């Protein structure tokens, strides 16, 4: 049984954090587009970012800030313009926003981290930004987590947010998180945009290591379309407001905190995969019998990222041959004569041999998962059922390594959404 419970509040659930989300006029739609997370005290900061050679100005800005000083007080995020591939002027725009926010919050710009999302090649609308910064600061609230989550999304159908609580030294400790992402999802060392807050006291080095390991088990294991973004950023703040003893080295408290961090990151990662552009269901691939956990994760992500596998799931076609083919090209050695494949409860291959199975029933299983995942609330909002994904299990028979990956099916709507993205 998990040693934590879910609580309300997302990034404002941990003590000492406020958040806001407003409409500043950055999106043509008029939807909320400017978000702010603020820690009332200095927080240890960790970050994981895109490895793309084409990066947004905010990514380079955050990297420089965190290399100089691994702490921060605020994260400002705009939606609408990516400020990527915008040259020197894009960098100057990022610097100006940090300066303006520092003035509004009465803190140093060095204590501010930035994130952007939207169309690549477009600068931020600075006139709207200049007017919006004082407004978003004025809107800061200890219950503003949900509004913040809603202001960072673009093509997402729903905001993504969670908060968990555990106890360390008999005191409650919380981690909250929000994320955005629906397309251009194939992270390499990061997520699309993700922000995590925590009120535990933890050392700089340990917090960064925890975040990296959590990323490897969550955001690095999702894919929607195989495209890594120019803006991928995952930023985590820990401000110590729980008043627990600082966690500075591995041990029971560190293990407990990291396990909760992984749970938060995996929830947000699965929510992104389920909300993939045009998707009708969440797919979970579990690989066992690999030479190592890293190898298992690699095979799992290759399978869930296969366009052929994804298309078959959308067509409700239990074509397990595509699963076997994807596993075989993952560049992880195994003996195909030991390969075992399940789709849900349907065993399709054993010891490298195809098995007879009820194809109609297997197709109905896929249909049932998709129908369950596509339900909506009375307001028409998608209900994300993350506890009942379509399950693919592959055993390589070649070791004790295991790993998970998540993705979604590939539908006609994905092409439509992205064919018309800027028009």
């Amino acid at each position: 049984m998990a040693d934590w419970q879910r609580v309300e509040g997302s990034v404002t659930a941990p003590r000492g954090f406020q958040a806001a989300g407003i409409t500043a006029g950055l999106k043509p739609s008029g939807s909320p587009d400017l978000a702010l997370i603020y820690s009332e005290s200095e927080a240890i900061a960790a970050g994981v970012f895109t490895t793309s050679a084409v990066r947004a100005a905010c990514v380079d800005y955050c990297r420089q800030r965190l290399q100089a000083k691994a702490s921060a007080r605020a994260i400002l995020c705009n939606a609408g313009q990516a400020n990527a591939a915008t040259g020197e002027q894009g960098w100057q725009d990022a610097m100006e926003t940090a300066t303006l926010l520092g003035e509004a919050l009465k803190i140093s710009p060095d204590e501010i981290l930035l994130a952007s999302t939207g169309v690549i090649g477009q600068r931020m609308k600075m006139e709207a930004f200049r007017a919006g910064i004082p407004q978003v600061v004025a809107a800061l609230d200890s219950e503003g987590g949900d509004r913040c989550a809603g202001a960072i999304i673009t093509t997402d159908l729903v905001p993504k947010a969670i908060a968990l609580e555990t106890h360390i030294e008999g005191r409650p400790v919380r981690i909250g998180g929000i994320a955005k992402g629906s397309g251009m999802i194939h992270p390499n060392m990061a997520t699309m945009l993700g922000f995590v807050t925590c009120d535990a006291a933890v050392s700089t080095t340990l917090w960064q290591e925890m975040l990296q390991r959590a990323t490897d088990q969550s955001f690095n294991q999702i894919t929607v379309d195989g495209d890594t973004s120019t803006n991928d950023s995952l930023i985590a703040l820990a401000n110590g407001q729980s008043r627990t003893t600082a966690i500075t080295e591995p041990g029971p408290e560190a293990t407990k905190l990291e396990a909760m961090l992984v749970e938060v990151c995996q929830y947000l990662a699965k929510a992104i995969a389920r909300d993939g552009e045009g998707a009708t269901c969440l797919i979970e691939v579990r690989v066992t019998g690999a030479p190592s956990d890293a190898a298992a994760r690699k095979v799992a992500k290759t399978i869930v990222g296969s366009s052929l596998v994804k298309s078959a799931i959308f067509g409700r076609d239990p074509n397990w041959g595509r699963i076997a083919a994807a596993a075989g090209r993952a560049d992880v050695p195994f003996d195909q004569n030991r390969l075992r494949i399940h789709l849900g409860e349907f065993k399709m291959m054993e010891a490298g041999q195809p098995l007879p199975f009820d194809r109609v029933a297997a197709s109905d299983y896929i249909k049932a998962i998709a129908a369950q995942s596509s339900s909506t609330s009375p307001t028409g909002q998608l209900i994300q059922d993350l506890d009942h994904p379509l399950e693919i299990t592959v055993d390589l028979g070649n070791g004790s390594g295991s790993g998970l990956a998540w993705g979604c099916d590939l539908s006609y709507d994905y092409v439509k959404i992205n064919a018309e993205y800027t028009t």
Side-chain angles (χ1 to χ4, degrees), residues 217-219 261-271 404 406:
Q217 298 175 65
S218 58
F219 297 116
L261 177 62
V262 170
E263 181 71 14
V264 166
C265 290
Q266 286 189 344
Y267 175 91
L268 294 172
K270 288 189 287 185
L404 291 165
W406 299 273

Side-chain angles (χ1 to χ4, degrees), residues 42-82:
E42 185 177 21
I44 297 300
V48 188
F49 302 95
T50 183
T51 56
S52 174
V54 179
R55 299 180 302 275
C58 56
V59 171
D60 289 338
Y61 174 90
C62 287
R63 280 176 166 166
Q64 289 188 18
R65 287 285 184 259
L66 292 177
Q67 286 173 0
K69 182 182 181 182
S71 64
R73 292 281 299 278
I75 303 169
L76 180 69
C77 177
N78 73 281
Q81 299 85 48

Side-chain angles (χ1 to χ4, degrees), residues 101-388:
L101 181 60
E103 292 172 354
L105 288 171
K106 296 181 173 55
I107 63 175
S108 169
D110 292 344
E111 297 180 285
I112 293 167
L113 299 172
L114 303 175
S116 300
T117 182
V119 180
I120 296 169
Q122 291 189 2
R123 288 177 54 199
M124 297 180 292
K125 296 179 180 179
M126 291 306 296
E127 184 175 347
F129 226 127
R130 294 182 188 108
I133 285 175
Q135 297 174 36
V136 76
V137 170
L140 281 171
D141 193 294
S142 59
E143 297 182 355
D146 289 343
R147 290 186 292 277
C148 186
I152 68 173
I153 62 176
T154 50
T155 59
D156 308 53
L157 295 178
V158 293
K160 299 152 184 74
I162 188 174
L164 300 177
E165 178 184 276
T166 190
H167 283 79
I168 294 176
E169 299 176 346
R171 299 182 66 87
V173 171
R174 292 180 172 184
I175 297 179
I178 61 174
K180 68 82 54 182
S182 187
M184 196 176 278
I185 307 297
H186 190 74
N188 187 6
M189 294 188 70
T191 179
M192 292 40 62
L193 288 183
F195 309 121
V196 173
T197 59
C198 176
D199 55 17
V202 59
S203 71
T204 299
T205 300
L206 199 57
W207 189 232
Q208 179 66 46
E209 291 173 350
M210 286 181 179
L211 187 67
Q212 182 64 67
R213 288 191 292 265
T215 302
D216 287 341
Q217 298 175 65
S218 58
F219 297 116
N220 277 353
Q221 288 304 108
I222 60 173
T223 182
V224 168
D225 48 21
D227 275 298
T228 298
S229 171
T230 57
N231 292 54
D232 290 349
S233 301
L234 173 62
I235 300 170
L237 304 181
N239 66 8
Q241 289 292 312
S242 64
R243 307 303 180 195
T244 51
T245 303
I247 301 172
T248 60
E249 57 186 26
E253 290 80 8
T255 298
K256 179 183 287 190
L257 187 67
E258 183 170 342
M260 191 163 67
L261 177 62
V262 170
E263 181 71 14
V264 166
C265 290
Q266 286 189 344
Y267 175 91
L268 294 172
K270 288 189 287 185
I272 289 171
R274 170 59 193 94
D275 200 18
E277 291 172 341
T280 67
C281 67
L282 173 67
I283 304 169
E284 178 178 276
V285 177
R286 181 183 299 273
V287 172
T288 59
S292 66
D293 290 349
R297 291 197 296 266
K298 186 176 183 180
V299 175
K301 192 171 180 182
T302 302
I303 293 170
V304 83
S306 164
S307 295
L308 291 177
V309 172
K310 291 156 65 70
S311 298
I313 297 302
F314 176 67
R316 317 315 182 210
D317 178 11
N319 188 344
W320 62 266
R322 294 180 175 181
I323 299 171
R329 67 175 173 83
D331 198 26
V332 171
F334 63 89
D335 183 352
Q336 65 175 330
N337 293 319
R338 296 182 178 180
L339 188 63
R340 181 187 303 131
I341 297 175
H342 283 75
L343 175 66
E345 296 182 353
F346 296 90
K347 184 183 292 187
M348 300 179 163
M349 172 175 270
E350 178 73 37
Q353 298 297 312
L355 299 175
F357 67 95
D358 189 331
R359 183 169 292 275
V360 173
S363 179
D364 287 343
Y365 163 68
I366 304 173
K367 292 176 183 177
I369 293 294
Q372 178 177 266
S373 297
S374 300
S375 60
T376 57
S377 70
T379 61
Q381 187 179 57
L382 175 69
I383 299 174
Q384 292 186 300
D385 187 353
L386 306 182
D387 294 327
H388 299 91

